[in-house]
Amino acid sequence: MSERITLFAEVILPLPLPSTYTYRIPYEWNDLIKGGQRVAVQLGNKKIYSGLVRNVHSNAPNVQSVKYILSILDPDPIVSEKSFKLWQWIANYYMCYLGDVMSIALPSALRLRSETKVIINPDFDGDITNLEEDESLIIESLAKKEALSIDDVNKVCGKANILSLLNKMIKKNIIITEEELNSRYRPKVEDYIRLSDTYQEQEKLKELFSILESKKVMEKQYETLLTFLSLAKYPNAEIKKIELSKQTKFSPSAFATMVKKGIFINTKKVQSRLESHSSSLSIKNLILNQDQEDVFNNIISEWNNKPVTLLHGVTGSGKTEVYIKLIEKVIEKGEQVLFLLPEIALTSHLISRLEKYFGSKIGIYHSRFSLCERAEIWQKVCSPIKESRYDIIIGSRSSLFLPFEKLGLIIVDEEHDSSYKQYDPAPRYNARDTAIFLANLHNAKTVLGSATPSLESYFNAKEGKYQFLELKKRYSGTLLPEIFVADIKESTKRKEMHSHFSKMLVDHITEALKNKEQVILFQNRRGFALQLRCEVCGWIPSCTHCDVSLTYHKQSDLLKCHYCGYSVNILQQCGDCGSHKVKMVGFGTEKIEEDLEIFFPNARVARMDLDTTRAKNSYESIINDFQDRKIDILVGTQMVTKGLDFDNVSVVGILNADTMINFPDFRSFERAFQQMTQVSGRAGRKHKRGTVIIQTYNPYHQAIRDVIDYNYKGMYESQILDRKVFKYPPFYRLIKISIRHKEKIVLDAIADEFRTDITKIFGGRILGPEYPLIPRVKNYYTKEFLLKIERKESIAKAKEEIKILVEKFTTKHKQTRITLDVDPA
């Protein structure tokens, strides 16, 4: 029996709140509540949330009354102290709240939601003769359904605001409301069937068959028993009920009767939703070449001295083989491995390679999994039983928040990729940098791998902060692909352009198809046409909620906004002058796909972009079809640039390099080089040198020349010099401050006021306010400030000053939204 000491719990709620909330622990729970457990608590008068206990103490808060914790939702902590330290670091560094971190860290299925339910008052006498029409409708609906949510009541009455009516019915004692806490995680349960112990004996089973066979009315039971034994193979076996029910001679009524008689025993069992794989290859058979062996040994020898390694390996150099050897080393010590990938598209391709060596030791974690699948993986990562615990997790950035117990290695593949940065909502964290902090918490090793490292990582390696290793040759010894430039301007003059394909590209595609080889075409725009334009007055249809033109999608025959999802039917005439001369301008992946089917009618063409990969397994389906050579030409956005390894790709085409280079961002030169180099690396992987065609209006641009020469070092040296001169990372830290408001005039006034106040603190370090490239998104206008802080200055002090100023402005200007982005990508 616990002592009657008054204890309190600091609880984190999944809301953007500046601090934890203090709740009182009932005496009988003093020994049960621990840090890291979920508890149900009340916030305000009605709302109930599941929160996380941060710590337990005996310090009474200085308030008149403290609410009690309502219930304990977990027998044991689901978040460790190390995870809490990670959350706190993210909240501090990326200038957000712990509740923001909790909202993205815990799977949705482990966060509980509160819904107000309406039920009939038990004291109501049932007399509906004096009720108003809407009141009668509600009571009739409640008679059919025990409880209705507020939304359900709105639908029943056909009114948007129903609260006043419900309040009146409550005062009349007709209905009451109850707060209902619902867990969205439900274990997957399946029915298993076996013969009862009595009929597992041979003699008893024979007697049963004789009885069932002798009576015509029991024919269905006889057939059901025969079907069961044919599936079970032997009398004491157990099979899934669903397997039995799929058989043609299965009778549900006969089966129910046999369960009732005690012939069959029906048992419910919790099942895993996750696929299990067995390993088929031994790691001992994986032979590293000399370069790979040197890299592997160097990483191991410097494990303690340099916990972070940057592995700069050209495309196809065999970085994955080095990763596999490192993973083996770590799990042999009983530790876990986290393998981060920037895109879900990479997961299926890489997982199949790793499963051949590690089988069921691997778990996959990303947002395309269902709520319950993610919750199940969460529990398998922190399982105290080694046999049921995942040793290796492959996942996107959200997998950083899994409750690792013994993390020994984090691999960040394609570490340069901008997909590692979360943009919205808060926390706006970078998974690469967060991975390094997480590894440090566990005293683990971090390996950053890329053929085109980010300038910041390369700079840290050159400065000696990271261990730096290189793989300069392809694993198979094949030469890097030969790169040619097709001048679109000259080709157009000579009338050698076939729609959006130069003669050079068409000739190489034709040759590849003739040789039964595959082609990848990269266009970093989805949709059919980038916009419609009136040839008479120049009018372009735009989104009603955003300052951006609408993109035409032929498959749905709609004009769509890629920022808010707004869509309208295709327009037959100009919305300004009424002219019917409305022309499509620009092209996206959908248009490329259609043109290819015209120019190469016998080729099998597929498209991989956001529109074709929304479903859970759509990536895997497209990639597997391409791997199995069911697709000849694959058209895609940046998804096709990242880490995919196909044996039969001989030609890669970059359809418009200029859209990447001519982008108003200080990273555009670096990103253009990375994307073009990455997609080029998909060509000629194993035994044959590939060919890359870059189409551009500016063939002598330095970024393109660097790609042709595979001159990463030259690109780095020119860009790092510009970064230093113009005060950008890695020499300066950046914090982007965005102010949003629905009224443009009001926003301008607030931004000017903010400019005055922030300049008093930071002087010339602050740039802005400026409208971004797209000033209005989802009906909110935005103005941005950029703060540049020298590396030697205290970033923590700067953040504190910004927080105070932001709090002052959000308090003063209630309708204003201010977001903070540390290290914007």
Side-chain angles (χ1 to χ4, degrees):
M1 188 78 177
S2 62
E3 294 183 54
R4 292 181 67 81
I5 301 171
T6 302
L7 294 179
F8 301 89
E10 295 301 318
V11 177
I12 305 169
L13 297 175
L15 300 167
L17 301 170
S19 62
T20 56
Y21 275 64
T22 306
Y23 289 88
R24 188 170 171 181
I25 301 172
Y27 291 126
E28 61 271 23
W29 293 350
N30 278 1
D31 295 333
L32 300 177
I33 290 187
K34 311 176 192 74
Q37 284 174 309
R38 288 179 304 152
V39 291
V41 294
Q42 185 176 348
L43 183 68
N45 294 327
K46 291 184 178 179
K47 290 290 183 181
I48 297 175
Y49 290 94
S50 65
L52 272 169
V53 176
R54 180 63 188 93
N55 54 54
V56 176
H57 59 81
S58 57
N59 303 320
N62 189 23
V63 291
Q64 285 186 338
S65 63
V66 184
K67 290 176 181 172
Y68 279 91
I69 286 174
L70 302 178
S71 62
I72 304 171
L73 303 177
D74 301 299
D76 298 299
I78 63 165
V79 177
S80 68
E81 184 58 32
K82 283 179 181 174
S83 291
F84 276 133
K85 286 180 180 178
L86 176 69
W87 292 16
Q88 191 63 62
W89 178 82
I90 290 173
N92 292 342
Y93 187 83
Y94 292 103
M95 301 182 72
C96 61
Y97 302 118
L98 272 175
D100 292 325
V101 184
M102 177 184 171
S103 292
I104 67 159
L106 281 188
S108 302
L110 296 180
R111 300 195 304 266
L112 308 183
R113 66 184 187 271
S114 179
E115 289 183 359
T116 300
K117 294 283 185 178
V118 178
I119 62 174
I120 296 174
N121 192 324
D123 297 329
F124 177 58
D125 59 11
D127 183 8
I128 61 171
T129 53
N130 295 320
L131 296 185
E132 296 174 7
E133 183 180 352
D134 283 341
E135 292 174 344
S136 297
L137 282 172
I138 293 170
I139 291 299
E140 286 171 10
S141 297
L142 285 170
K144 300 172 186 173
K145 198 174 178 181
E146 289 184 4
L148 293 174
S149 68
I150 300 297
D151 285 341
D152 292 334
V153 177
N154 287 339
K155 290 172 186 174
V156 167
C157 298
K159 295 180 179 179
N161 186 1
I162 208 76
L163 293 179
S164 57
L165 173 64
L166 293 177
N167 190 49
K168 188 165 65 173
M169 292 178 73
I170 291 168
K171 287 179 179 178
K172 290 181 181 179
N173 292 321
I174 300 170
I175 61 170
I176 60 172
T177 63
E178 66 172 13
E179 284 296 329
E180 187 177 271
L181 199 62
N182 294 323
S183 170
R184 290 196 282 175
Y185 175 64
R186 296 286 184 270
K188 181 181 178 183
V189 177
E190 288 199 60
D191 288 319
Y192 276 78
I193 310 302
R194 65 177 178 85
L195 279 174
S196 67
D197 294 342
T198 302
Y199 297 108
Q200 286 181 20
E201 294 178 17
Q202 198 69 29
E203 291 302 318
K204 292 288 184 181
L205 186 58
K206 283 181 180 178
E207 286 179 24
L208 177 62
F209 265 118
S210 299
I211 294 168
L212 297 178
E213 193 177 16
S214 62
K215 297 182 181 179
K216 185 70 176 174
V217 292
M218 295 184 177
E219 183 181 350
K220 292 288 185 184
Q221 295 180 39
Y222 177 79
E223 288 177 349
T224 299
L225 182 58
L226 274 178
T227 304
F228 170 83
L229 290 173
S230 67
L231 291 171
K233 306 300 182 186
Y234 45 93
N236 62 343
E238 188 176 54
I239 65 168
K240 290 182 181 180
K241 180 185 174 184
I242 193 167
E243 292 178 10
L244 185 63
S245 63
K246 287 178 182 177
Q247 305 305 308
T248 53
K249 293 189 176 181
F250 174 77
S251 166
S253 58
F255 172 78
T257 303
M258 295 172 82
V259 171
K260 197 172 182 180
K261 287 180 179 178
I263 297 171
F264 284 131
I265 304 297
N266 189 356
T267 309
K268 293 186 181 295
K269 292 187 177 183
V270 176
Q271 298 292 300
S272 172
R273 292 180 172 83
L274 310 172
E275 291 183 29
S276 182
H277 302 269
S278 58
S279 54
S280 59
L281 297 176
S282 170
I283 296 175
K284 292 177 182 178
N285 297 330
L286 180 64
I287 307 299
L288 303 181
N289 64 28
Q290 190 57 55
D291 291 341
Q292 292 171 316
E293 191 71 40
D294 291 343
V295 164
F296 173 75
N297 291 332
N298 280 326
I299 292 173
I300 297 300
S301 64
E302 290 292 314
W303 198 275
N304 296 321
N305 299 327
K306 289 284 179 71
V308 182
T309 295
L310 175 62
L311 176 54
H312 181 195
V314 298
T315 53
S317 59
K319 294 186 291 292
T320 304
E321 283 75 16
V322 176
Y323 297 156
I324 290 170
K325 287 287 189 180
L326 288 171
I327 291 169
E328 179 195 31
K329 190 87 175 173
V330 171
I331 63 176
E332 277 180 352
K333 296 191 292 183
E335 295 175 336
Q336 292 170 296
V337 177
L338 172 59
F339 198 128
L340 284 178
L341 293 164
E343 292 272 3
I344 300 168
L346 297 179
T347 305
S348 62
H349 194 74
L350 185 62
I351 192 73
S352 60
R353 296 174 71 183
L354 294 180
E355 276 171 353
K356 291 175 183 177
Y357 293 101
F358 300 107
S360 59
K361 295 176 182 177
I362 293 175
I364 313 169
Y365 190 81
H366 56 63
S367 59
R368 292 292 175 98
F369 276 20
S370 70
L371 298 175
C372 292
E373 282 174 327
R374 276 179 274 163
E376 191 170 324
I377 292 168
W378 179 283
Q379 290 161 351
K380 283 178 78 72
V381 169
C382 64
S383 172
I385 304 166
K386 190 180 186 311
E387 288 70 26
S388 61
R389 189 176 71 213
Y390 282 134
D391 293 324
I392 306 160
I393 287 290
I394 301 177
S396 53
R397 61 175 182 257
S398 58
S399 54
L400 283 166
F401 298 103
L402 289 167
F404 295 100
E405 292 293 319
K406 289 185 172 184
L407 192 59
L409 172 66
I410 301 179
I411 296 168
V412 186
D413 198 27
E414 309 295 350
E415 66 84 28
H416 66 277
D417 200 285
S418 59
S419 299
Y420 282 124
K421 172 73 175 180
Q422 164 129 337
Y423 294 95
D424 278 306
R428 297 170 179 84
Y429 68 102
N430 187 304
R432 177 196 63 213
D433 301 335
T434 305
I436 293 171
F437 181 83
L438 176 62
N440 184 57
L441 279 176
H442 287 265
N443 293 318
K445 181 80 172 177
T446 308
V447 176
L448 311 176
S450 177
T452 55
S454 64
L455 261 66
E456 288 88 341
S457 294
Y458 198 82
F459 177 81
N460 284 332
K462 287 297 183 184
E463 291 290 301
K465 189 175 178 181
Y466 301 162
Q467 181 186 19
F468 180 63
L469 299 169
E470 288 184 285
L471 287 170
K472 297 180 180 180
K473 298 176 184 176
R474 285 191 157 184
Y475 178 72
S476 61
T478 310
L479 291 174
L480 289 166
E482 193 173 10
I483 301 177
F484 298 98
V485 176
D487 189 332
I488 299 175
K489 186 167 56 179
E490 284 298 314
S491 296
T492 304
K493 282 181 183 178
R494 295 173 183 172
K495 297 183 179 180
E496 292 179 347
M497 290 297 293
H498 305 270
S499 183
H500 303 289
F501 309 107
S502 63
K503 182 178 182 299
M504 183 188 295
L505 182 56
V506 170
D507 289 346
H508 278 85
I509 293 173
T510 303
E511 183 68 20
L513 296 175
K514 180 182 174 183
N515 296 331
K516 307 294 183 185
E517 294 167 343
Q518 291 170 295
V519 177
I520 290 177
L521 298 181
F522 170 53
Q523 166 63 4
N524 207 23
R525 295 272 189 174
R526 62 189 173 99
F528 187 84
L530 300 189
Q531 55 190 218
L532 298 187
R533 182 185 295 159
C534 175
E535 292 184 301
V536 176
C537 69
W539 175 82
I540 297 171
S542 300
C543 177
T544 58
H545 311 297
C546 312
D547 288 337
V548 64
S549 60
L550 298 173
T551 301
Y552 175 55
H553 289 250
K554 186 173 182 181
Q555 190 171 3
S556 57
D557 200 29
L558 292 172
L559 291 169
K560 291 184 180 180
C561 173
H562 288 175
Y563 288 85
C564 70
Y566 170 78
S567 63
V568 293
N569 292 324
I570 186 73
L571 303 170
Q572 301 300 325
Q573 64 184 64
C574 175
D576 196 7
C577 72
S579 167
H580 287 273
K581 292 184 178 181
V582 180
K583 185 180 179 182
M584 294 182 186
V585 180
F587 64 99
T589 50
E590 199 175 11
K591 169 65 172 168
I592 297 300
E593 182 184 28
E594 182 183 87
D595 286 350
L596 286 169
E597 289 168 354
I598 296 169
F599 293 126
F600 304 101
N602 297 322
R604 295 163 297 180
V605 181
R607 174 164 51 96
M608 187 162 74
D609 57 24
L610 187 62
D611 297 321
T612 62
T613 56
R614 294 185 189 277
K616 176 181 171 182
N617 295 316
S618 51
Y619 283 99
E620 289 88 336
S621 177
I622 295 170
I623 290 169
N624 289 337
D625 284 349
F626 196 68
Q627 179 76 55
D628 296 338
R629 303 187 185 184
K630 295 176 182 176
I631 298 168
D632 298 315
I633 306 175
L634 179 63
V635 184
T637 55
Q638 59 179 352
M639 295 176 186
V640 301
T641 70
K642 301 174 182 181
L644 301 177
D645 182 5
F646 301 109
D647 298 344
N648 198 44
V649 176
S650 64
V651 175
V652 165
I654 299 171
L655 296 173
N656 192 345
D658 305 301
T659 56
M660 294 179 277
I661 298 168
N662 302 320
F663 194 79
D665 184 270
F666 75 94
R667 299 185 199 272
S668 61
F669 195 109
E670 174 193 6
R671 292 227 171 108
F673 175 87
Q674 288 168 341
Q675 286 192 334
M676 285 190 281
T677 302
Q678 289 285 340
V679 75
S680 298
R682 305 310 121 213
R685 304 282 290 184
K686 289 285 167 70
H687 307 297
K688 181 182 175 182
R689 190 180 190 189
T691 302
V692 178
I693 311 295
I694 299 177
Q695 296 188 164
T696 174
Y697 286 95
N698 189 357
Y700 298 102
H701 193 285
Q702 190 56 49
I704 293 174
R705 307 321 300 178
D706 286 340
V707 172
I708 293 171
D709 298 334
Y710 293 97
N711 187 13
Y712 176 86
K713 192 174 180 183
M715 184 278 295
Y716 168 81
E717 287 174 350
S718 67
Q719 288 301 295
I720 207 73
L721 185 61
D722 285 351
R723 299 279 184 94
K724 190 170 187 178
V725 171
F726 296 106
K727 300 180 180 179
Y728 282 106
F731 303 101
Y732 282 72
R733 289 190 174 97
L734 303 183
I735 299 176
K736 185 169 74 175
I737 304 165
S738 302
I739 303 179
R740 296 193 294 158
H741 199 282
K742 287 191 174 182
E743 300 293 332
K744 187 173 183 289
I745 296 172
V746 175
L747 175 64
D748 288 339
I750 294 170
D752 288 342
E753 184 185 347
F754 191 87
R755 162 79 183 179
T756 302
D757 285 5
I758 200 167
T759 304
K760 290 176 185 176
I761 303 169
F762 296 108
R765 293 187 181 95
I766 193 80
L767 301 178
E770 295 289 344
Y771 283 108
L773 193 61
I774 300 171
R776 182 174 61 110
V777 174
K778 297 181 181 178
N779 288 324
Y780 275 89
Y781 289 93
T782 303
K783 273 199 161 180
E784 294 176 346
F785 294 85
L786 192 64
L787 178 62
K788 297 180 177 182
I789 303 289
E790 301 92 328
R791 284 275 168 181
K792 61 183 180 182
E793 296 296 326
S794 171
I795 189 73
K797 186 179 177 183
K799 289 174 181 175
E800 196 56 42
E801 296 272 15
I802 292 170
K803 277 185 178 179
I804 293 168
L805 187 59
V806 167
E807 190 175 333
K808 169 190 164 184
F809 266 77
T810 49
T811 303
K812 183 179 178 181
H813 304 284
K814 299 290 185 184
Q815 303 302 314
T816 303
R817 297 183 181 183
I818 301 179
T819 59
L820 304 172
D821 188 359
V822 179
D823 300 339

